[in-house]
């Protein structure tokens, strides 16, 4: 049943649309959809490189849309953040993390739940130069897409057609998200005092 649902050329459009929109609706299961499509493609019912390319391009386009939206709606976004202590704390943590990690944070955040949304919107609202944000966003999308497709492929190769061929890769996807979230939330290392 899984193969009949996920096989066919329309799956590329479904993956692209899901990945494109999940920057605005992080509840969309784009990662699970991509892993599922890769699991099916690994049986010869699709192209793994096309899935990677499709997901990576959609990820970059979604990030760019969120970035531009936040750039133009900066004052409204700042007012919304100012009204919520939780959002204010999150923005402060993100600002610290961006200053500490720079582009690496964009890549790590792509794996974290809603991390992509927060980073793309924050980069736009802070008016960070597109030339500094978009290359990292492209790398993040490519890394995430490659990882997700590889999980689906390896699950099919190692576990065959059992339900675990999908369950194990999806679990690995969620574990990567949890690890990314821990890395983002990790407090900055204390800098040693200068020697006199």
């Amino acid at each position: 049943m899984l193969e009949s649902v996920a096989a066919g050329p329309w799956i590329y459009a479904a993956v692209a649309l899901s990945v494109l929109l999940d920057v605005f609706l992080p509840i969309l299961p784009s990662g699970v959809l991509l892993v599922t499509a890769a699991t099916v493609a690994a049986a010869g019912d699709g192209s793994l490189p096309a899935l990677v390319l499709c997901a990576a391009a959609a990820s970059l386009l979604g990030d760019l849309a969120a970035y531009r939206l936040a750039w133009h709606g900066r004052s409204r976004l700042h007012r919304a953040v100012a009204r919520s202590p939780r959002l204010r704390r999150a923005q402060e943590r993100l600002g610290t993390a961006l200053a500490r990690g720079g582009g690496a944070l964009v890549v790590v955040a792509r794996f974290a739940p809603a991390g992509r949304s927060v980073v793309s919107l924050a980069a736009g609202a802070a008016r960070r130069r597109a030339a500094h944000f978009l290359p990292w966003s492209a790398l993040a999308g490519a890394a995430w897409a490659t990882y997700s497709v590889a999980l689906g492929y390896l699950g099919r190769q190692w576990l065959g057609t059992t339900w675990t061929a999908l369950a194990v890769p999806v679990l690995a996807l969620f574990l990567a998200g949890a690890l990314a979230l821990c890395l983002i939330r990790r407090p900055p290392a204390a800098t040693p005092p200068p020697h006199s």
Side-chain angles (χ1 to χ4, degrees):
M1 181 180 168
L2 176 65
E3 289 186 14
S4 64
V5 170
W10 67 269
I11 193 64
Y12 301 104
V15 165
L17 186 61
S18 178
V19 172
L20 180 71
L21 294 178
D22 83 355
V23 72
F24 300 107
L25 299 166
I27 58 166
L28 286 176
S30 60
V32 174
L33 179 61
L34 183 55
V35 169
T36 303
T39 302
V40 172
D45 294 324
S47 167
L48 295 170
L51 279 173
V52 171
L53 183 62
C54 188
S59 180
L60 178 61
L61 288 174
D63 288 358
L64 177 59
Y67 169 85
R68 296 305 294 172
L69 184 71
W71 182 291
H72 293 296
R74 180 180 177 183
S75 57
R76 263 184 274 164
L77 189 59
H78 282 301
R79 284 196 301 271
V81 168
R83 285 193 298 267
S84 168
R86 186 175 175 194
L87 284 175
R88 215 170 31 250
R89 284 192 304 273
Q91 187 181 45
E92 288 165 7
R93 279 198 313 264
L94 178 65
T96 302
L98 276 170
R100 187 177 77 233
L105 174 69
V106 177
V107 177
V108 172
R110 181 61 186 91
F111 290 82
R116 168 189 182 208
S117 305
V118 172
V119 167
S120 297
L121 291 169
R127 302 268 170 112
R128 294 192 176 271
R129 289 182 51 205
H132 292 159
F133 171 68
L134 292 178
W136 288 105
S137 172
L139 177 62
W144 174 81
T146 301
Y147 175 75
S148 301
V149 169
L151 286 177
Y153 171 79
L154 294 173
R156 181 63 175 243
Q157 297 305 308
W158 292 343
L159 302 170
T161 57
T162 64
W163 66 271
T164 54
L166 183 58
V168 170
V170 167
L171 178 62
L173 186 69
F174 286 122
L175 288 175
L179 177 62
L181 202 55
C182 289
L183 289 173
I184 291 169
R185 289 183 171 172
R186 185 185 67 198
T191 50
H195 297 292
S196 43

